Amino acid sequence: MQVRPVQSSQDLKAFINLPYRLHRDDPVWVPPFKQDVRALLSKQKNPFFDHGDAAYFLAEIQGRVAGRIAAITNRLHNEAHADRTGFFGFFECENDQAVANALIEKATAWVAARGHDTLRGPMSFSINDECGLLIDGFDTPPYLMMPHNPPYYQGLLESAGLSKIKDLWAFLGGPKDTGIPVPERLARAAEVMGRRFSVTLRPLDMRRFPEEVQLVRRLFNESWGSNWGFVPMTQRELDHLAKQFKPVVNPNIIPIAEINGRPIGFGLAIPDLNEVLIRNRSGRLLPAAIQILWKLKRRRIRRVRIALLGVIPEYRGKGIDAMLYHWVWTRAVADGMPWAEASWILEDNPLMIFGLEKMGFERYKTYRVYEKGL
């Protein structure tokens, strides 16, 4: 066995293709577009590399690719937290402990050579991208931009010397036996909080899309700044994401909360395109992209992911999050999407967890972030 860096276009192709072979028999694995993965890994196209760097490695056994990993450094993270943490991501591996050990050792050596004293992950590339290893909830497909992996990955990483640093939880909400999609308590809380604090909600204004993107970035950085592992999102990173998702944005499920015209919070919900992608086992862009647009137009996608929800610090704990959830849920249901995932939520965020449970959401998946000192 050897672990070697990705150096050629053929190496990169092998790096991208590995999960399609490892997970082809997993019925709930959702294949990403290979074209999107290639762009994500590109140091010329991905704005992450304005403030970060990475190296990609392949593990081979007699010429067969048996695993892969990316070793990552993120200058913005270390500036924000005044630490020297390096990261790993894009971890995929056969059920072979020797291969997993070799991959982690290679990532460890790479980040240590750049002055880091800790290895953390998986994060592909940062906490603002896919992060965490799925450790429970394997029987249902992931929502958009959430990871999925086989159960044996947990044993591989822990036996390779990594320990839990934080769990991230996903909550599911949707129709119950009564057929009432929106809990009554959520509707009451939204009405009371709106009157008490003179909060008004409005949808994202697609006519002013660039300005709205800047507003969301400012609210995100201000409202999430104290969260564990937070890394500020740069303008180029958000512009890059906005360009990718603009064709599928539903402004009705992206509320902006205001008090006297001043924006103080927002929610970001995305139709779950994985409902279509799960059947696209090849990872090719066409015809899956056309099917996505067709289903969105005809309201055939039934699930929505609430990916971000934030309120600036001075207005937290006042129920404004309930107003934002109520807005997203009622409008998503009206647009034919009665199922919603709120993800991810830090395991030690009691206010958000309590609020979600009171609104009828149930925790159903756990993603674990690992760490080891070097």
Side-chain angles (χ1 to χ4, degrees):
M1 182 186 65
Q2 66 167 339
V3 178
R4 61 180 183 83
V6 169
Q7 295 178 316
S8 68
S9 59
Q10 284 301 110
D11 290 344
L12 183 61
K13 183 178 180 181
F15 188 93
I16 293 171
N17 285 344
L18 178 60
Y20 293 84
R21 174 170 63 83
L22 291 181
H23 311 318
R24 64 189 172 194
D25 296 326
D26 184 344
V28 301
W29 178 66
V30 179
F33 286 138
K34 291 183 180 180
Q35 177 178 309
D36 287 350
V37 178
R38 185 176 295 273
L40 181 67
L41 297 171
S42 170
K43 296 184 180 182
Q44 289 73 43
K45 295 181 180 179
N46 188 343
F48 167 81
F49 292 100
D50 293 347
H51 56 82
D53 195 12
Y56 313 133
F57 299 96
L58 294 170
E60 294 179 331
I61 300 176
Q62 297 181 343
R64 184 189 80 251
V65 176
R68 73 177 197 185
I69 200 167
I72 302 160
T73 183
N74 185 344
R75 175 175 52 81
L76 281 186
H77 170 92
N78 291 310
E79 289 177 354
H81 298 277
D83 63 14
R84 293 187 289 143
T85 301
F87 299 88
F88 74 93
F90 299 95
F91 175 80
E92 300 283 357
C93 191
E94 294 179 356
N95 195 1
D96 187 323
Q97 191 62 53
V99 175
N101 290 348
L103 289 168
I104 293 298
E105 287 170 9
K106 182 65 71 170
T108 297
W110 190 90
V111 300
R114 282 148 186 82
H116 298 299
D117 60 12
T118 303
L119 180 71
R120 182 182 296 172
M123 295 189 184
S124 308
F125 284 97
S126 81
I127 201 165
N128 294 331
D129 299 301
E130 280 194 9
C131 64
L133 186 86
L134 182 67
I135 64 166
D136 70 53
F138 299 97
D139 56 338
T140 55
Y143 275 61
L144 186 67
M145 297 181 70
M146 294 296 288
H148 181 82
N149 52 264
Y152 70 81
Y153 277 23
Q154 180 179 1
L156 291 181
L157 291 185
E158 292 176 2
S159 295
L162 292 154
S163 302
K164 169 191 167 181
I165 181 67
K166 191 73 68 174
D167 278 352
L168 317 173
W169 291 349
F171 290 78
L172 185 67
K176 307 300 180 186
D177 294 338
T178 60
I180 301 173
V182 182
E184 185 180 349
R185 66 172 68 91
L186 177 56
R188 289 200 306 269
E191 182 181 355
V192 170
M193 294 303 108
R195 287 199 310 264
R196 182 176 298 172
F197 299 105
S198 300
V199 180
T200 59
L201 300 182
R202 65 170 179 83
L204 188 80
D205 187 350
M206 294 298 290
R207 297 169 301 178
R208 303 176 56 253
F209 189 72
E211 292 85 354
E212 294 283 71
V213 169
Q214 291 188 28
L215 172 61
V216 167
R217 173 178 171 265
R218 179 175 64 79
L219 289 172
F220 169 75
N221 287 340
E222 188 174 351
S223 59
W224 280 56
S226 59
N227 273 18
W228 176 85
F230 167 78
V231 177
M233 189 171 289
T234 69
Q235 189 63 53
R236 280 217 335 126
E237 285 177 310
L238 193 56
D239 287 344
H240 181 72
L241 278 175
K243 183 179 179 181
Q244 284 183 304
F245 284 104
K246 186 177 181 181
V248 298
V249 161
N250 180 341
N252 292 328
I253 55 175
I254 304 179
I256 308 293
E258 298 179 338
I259 294 180
N260 298 322
R262 176 196 175 195
I264 53 96
F266 77 104
L268 177 62
I270 312 167
D272 183 31
L273 311 184
N274 280 2
E275 287 190 37
V276 178
L277 296 179
I278 195 170
R279 295 187 291 275
N280 184 37
R281 308 309 285 184
S282 70
R284 296 191 183 97
L285 184 63
L286 296 175
I290 296 173
Q291 293 171 350
I292 285 172
L293 295 175
W294 185 86
K295 285 182 176 288
L296 284 172
K297 185 176 182 181
R298 285 162 177 77
R299 298 183 179 180
R300 298 290 179 84
I301 289 180
R302 302 280 292 164
R303 312 191 312 178
V304 60
R305 179 185 169 212
I306 307 172
L308 291 173
L309 187 138
V311 178
I312 63 175
E314 65 186 282
Y315 289 103
R316 286 182 191 155
K318 302 184 185 301
I320 296 171
D321 55 339
M323 296 181 63
L324 293 166
Y325 274 117
H326 178 262
W327 173 288
V328 172
W329 205 338
T330 53
R331 282 154 181 78
V333 168
D335 282 354
M337 297 177 285
W339 291 96
E341 179 183 277
S343 60
W344 44 259
I345 311 297
L346 291 169
E347 63 174 332
D348 51 3
N349 186 344
L351 284 177
M352 185 64 74
I353 293 167
F354 178 77
L356 283 168
E357 290 174 342
K358 281 293 185 182
M359 291 183 284
F361 282 76
E362 298 177 355
R363 178 162 67 93
Y364 82 120
K365 287 181 186 285
T366 303
Y367 301 87
R368 180 158 293 172
V369 179
Y370 289 93
E371 188 174 280
K372 78 169 187 173
L374 307 187

